[in-house]
Amino acid sequence: MTFTVAVAGRPNVGKSTLFNRLVGKRLALVDDQPGVTRDRRSGNARIGDIKFEVIDTAGLEEADQASLEGRMRAQTEQAIIDANVTLFLIDARAGVTPMDKSFATMLRRAGKPVILVANKVEGRKGDDGFYEAFEMGFGEPVPISAEHGEGMADLRNALVEAVGEDVAFGKNEPTEDEKEEASFDLEAFEAEEDETEPEYDNTRPLKICIVGRPNAGKSTLINRMLGEDRLLTGPEAGITRDSISVDWEWQGRSIKLFDTAGMRRKARVQEKLEKLSVHDALRAIQYAEVVVIMFDATIPFEKQDLHIVDLIHREGRAPVLAFNKWDLVPDKQAALKELHEKTERLLPQLRGLRTVTLSGQSGKGLDRLMEAVIDADKTWNRRVATSKLNQWLDDVQAHHPPPAVSGRRIRFKYITQAKTRPPTFVAQCTRPEGLPASYERYLLNDLRATFKLPGVPLRLYLRKGENPYGNRKRNTSK
């Protein structure tokens, strides 16, 4: 992206609606209730021929620094500092309020370019507020309707004027020919260094989603990883609402971290806003590769914890269990033994599940967590040769043959791995509909043990082999 734009303003003026309009997706939660957005959320935006990074922020409110609202304001102020230009939204229908004037003063002190945007002007209902906005001292406001997409061309022109054409159109960036030449030279260099293709690509970006019950320490852990207070944290449960993605690097590896809202039992989720937050978390899980399930080590294995792990298993993601707040556990040796025993007993569908104890507050155990994440991703991407699979299948049938159903024994003929992420196998056999579920579990467990696939979901699909003589006409001549 060529430049960064922060969207700021008091609560409920339409910041998240404009953010979604600019990125072209419903990434940010939108609701009539004020104060929905709490953390900074960034996305790749575009208006016509200009592209930029846009940051959605929490509503600006006057509050004590130690309060939740005060910490939300600090996040917004940091976004304004990081941005090249700020879009200062007001609600044209409500007109200029004393809170708007207060934050206009704060924006002037920041010393960054500001574009005053009068939102909700559709149907001429915001005309009075639009003209009133001139007194704010930021020049002529840009009238828009974020909900209906009106005024986007004027907003584009205002952004180009604020940052300059060189920045807006990326004229200082390398051309496509220069990028292609640099890429070609790099590929040639790498080819000279190593002609063999690695089994595991440790250069591609890795998507990691952090999930768990409310107040398990998810945002605190990500802040410790980043080395800054990027996400809003505090003693209050349920602070995080949106699924926030942030970029990080660990030992040279590009990582995209997704923080999510705490997931409570479905029966307890009554409010519309919490339902939207949980839905956003589920969407983040679907797009992740490795999912770190945060447990509170002081009260682990609550019923909801097990539901979350089962959800990750059904989605086919690579899971890692992280027992947070380990520094608060008194008898660590006894607690560790109990955790391992309960993991094996309560989560049999994921034998060999990777577990890590850590403290998100101090960062102790963070390296062990990332090593477990990388190991889980390697297993999740592992492919087994077809020849080895069929040799294994012959051995299995010889030592533990499938049971007979209605007097006829089921026979396996062939097996292959259809895909990875998660490892998925397709086996051809006679009468697959009659194979007991217990024998399927036996095959999966033996696959997991034989080919070293611990702790990740495995899929096995059974297919009926075609009868090669089924379509031939019977010869009745004598």
Side-chain angles (χ1 to χ4, degrees):
M1 297 294 104
T2 54
F3 60 100
T4 303
V5 176
V7 183
R10 61 181 177 83
N12 220 28
V13 295
K15 298 183 297 298
S16 294
T17 302
L18 177 59
F19 174 86
N20 287 340
R21 172 69 59 182
L22 295 175
V23 299
K25 302 175 184 177
R26 286 184 60 87
L27 291 181
L29 298 184
V30 176
D31 193 73
D32 293 336
Q33 177 182 337
V36 172
T37 302
R38 289 176 169 175
D39 277 299
R40 290 175 275 161
R41 181 170 201 157
S42 62
N44 296 331
R46 178 174 185 166
I47 308 179
D49 53 351
I50 63 170
K51 297 179 181 179
F52 53 94
E53 181 184 8
V54 62
I55 305 174
D56 187 22
T57 65
L60 289 163
E61 295 186 73
E62 294 282 4
D64 181 77
Q65 291 184 354
S67 67
L68 175 59
E69 291 76 13
R71 301 197 302 273
M72 290 163 58
R73 176 179 172 132
Q75 290 283 327
T76 299
E77 291 174 347
Q78 186 60 49
I80 293 169
I81 293 172
D82 294 340
N84 299 95
V85 59
T86 298
L87 300 182
F88 181 28
L89 258 67
I90 65 166
D91 184 343
R93 294 185 180 184
V96 177
T97 68
M99 191 180 294
D100 290 326
K101 293 180 180 179
S102 173
F103 293 124
T105 303
M106 185 268 285
L107 287 171
R108 290 192 190 92
R109 287 200 300 265
K112 293 291 187 76
V114 176
I115 298 173
L116 182 60
V117 180
N119 191 25
K120 306 181 184 180
V121 299
E122 62 271 16
R124 304 183 65 85
K125 293 181 180 179
D127 284 357
D128 292 342
F130 170 74
Y131 291 112
E132 189 180 345
F134 278 87
E135 68 184 56
M136 302 281 281
F138 292 113
E140 182 177 354
V142 179
I144 70 164
S145 170
E147 184 175 358
H148 298 94
E150 299 174 9
M152 292 298 108
D154 292 336
L155 183 58
R156 174 259 183 208
N157 294 337
L159 283 169
V160 173
E161 184 178 351
V163 301
E165 290 191 0
D166 287 349
V167 175
F169 299 107
K171 292 183 179 180
N172 294 327
E173 291 191 339
T175 64
E176 291 300 321
D177 290 340
E178 290 171 338
K179 290 180 181 179
E180 184 176 351
E181 183 179 354
S183 175
F184 175 79
D185 292 343
L186 178 61
E187 291 173 1
F189 173 78
E190 289 177 343
E192 291 177 3
E193 287 292 306
D194 187 4
E195 296 181 357
T196 61
E197 183 179 351
E199 293 184 2
Y200 175 71
D201 182 7
N202 58 6
T203 62
R204 62 176 175 80
L206 180 61
K207 297 176 183 177
I208 304 173
C209 185
I210 315 292
V211 303
R213 288 185 290 116
N215 219 24
K218 301 179 290 296
S219 300
T220 301
L221 173 64
I222 293 180
N223 283 343
R224 173 58 60 180
M225 289 174 164
L226 300 176
E228 60 173 302
D229 291 334
R230 171 61 180 82
L231 300 172
L232 198 61
T233 61
E236 306 91 346
I239 290 179
T240 303
R241 287 175 172 169
D242 289 277
S243 295
I244 306 297
S245 66
V246 292
D247 294 322
W248 182 50
E249 187 174 288
W250 183 74
Q251 295 187 357
R253 179 82 177 268
S254 296
I255 307 286
K256 185 172 282 292
L257 296 168
F258 291 85
D259 187 25
T260 61
M263 301 171 69
R264 297 195 299 165
R265 282 188 299 173
K266 193 173 182 180
R268 292 187 177 181
V269 180
Q270 301 294 334
E271 294 184 5
K272 175 187 174 184
L273 184 55
E274 187 172 1
K275 290 180 180 179
L276 291 172
S277 297
V278 172
H279 177 76
D280 207 30
L282 295 176
R283 183 175 61 180
I285 290 170
Q286 291 172 348
Y287 286 100
E289 294 167 307
V290 179
V291 179
V292 176
I293 306 111
M294 294 282 286
F295 283 26
D296 185 335
T298 61
I299 45 171
F301 292 108
E302 295 284 302
K303 190 174 182 180
Q304 179 62 6
D305 292 328
L306 301 179
H307 284 317
I308 294 173
V309 177
D310 189 58
L311 169 66
I312 307 307
H313 175 258
R314 285 186 276 112
E315 287 292 337
R317 306 299 97 181
V320 174
L321 295 192
F323 294 98
N324 192 27
K325 307 181 184 179
W326 190 244
D327 50 321
L328 302 180
V329 175
D331 189 349
K332 291 180 172 52
Q333 186 173 358
L336 188 62
K337 182 179 179 181
E338 184 180 2
L339 290 179
H340 287 159
E341 184 273 326
K342 285 188 174 181
T343 301
E344 292 295 322
R345 177 168 54 85
L346 298 175
L347 300 169
Q349 70 273 36
L350 288 166
R351 289 191 177 180
L353 186 60
R354 293 160 183 83
T355 61
V356 178
T357 57
L358 57 86
S359 169
Q361 192 74 40
S362 67
K364 189 174 182 179
L366 180 56
D367 284 341
R368 292 199 308 272
L369 174 64
M370 288 307 302
E371 288 167 3
V373 165
I374 299 299
D375 190 42
D377 187 54
K378 287 180 180 179
T379 305
W380 195 58
N381 282 275
R382 187 166 298 157
R383 181 173 291 278
V384 183
T386 300
S387 58
K388 293 182 179 179
L389 284 171
N390 283 279
Q391 181 60 55
W392 165 82
L393 186 62
D394 290 342
D395 294 341
V396 165
Q397 291 190 94
H399 293 94
H400 187 180
V405 178
S406 301
R408 297 172 59 187
R409 187 167 296 282
I410 296 174
R411 297 185 183 280
F412 281 86
K413 301 178 180 180
Y414 182 79
I415 186 171
T416 187
Q417 185 171 354
K419 71 180 191 72
T420 59
R421 305 161 64 91
T424 302
F425 304 90
V426 177
Q428 189 182 88
C429 66
T430 60
R431 306 176 66 202
E433 69 282 356
L435 190 70
S438 59
Y439 195 80
E440 282 190 50
R441 287 195 298 271
Y442 162 74
L443 291 177
L444 283 172
N445 290 334
D446 207 88
L447 264 173
R448 191 186 298 279
T450 302
F451 297 108
K452 296 180 175 57
L453 299 169
V456 299
L458 299 183
R459 303 285 189 261
L460 176 63
Y461 296 103
L462 304 178
R463 297 287 184 266
K464 188 174 183 178
E466 296 183 2
N467 184 352
Y469 303 100
N471 295 326
R472 291 191 181 184
K473 293 183 179 180
R474 186 177 179 182
N475 185 3
T476 57
S477 62
K478 294 185 180 180

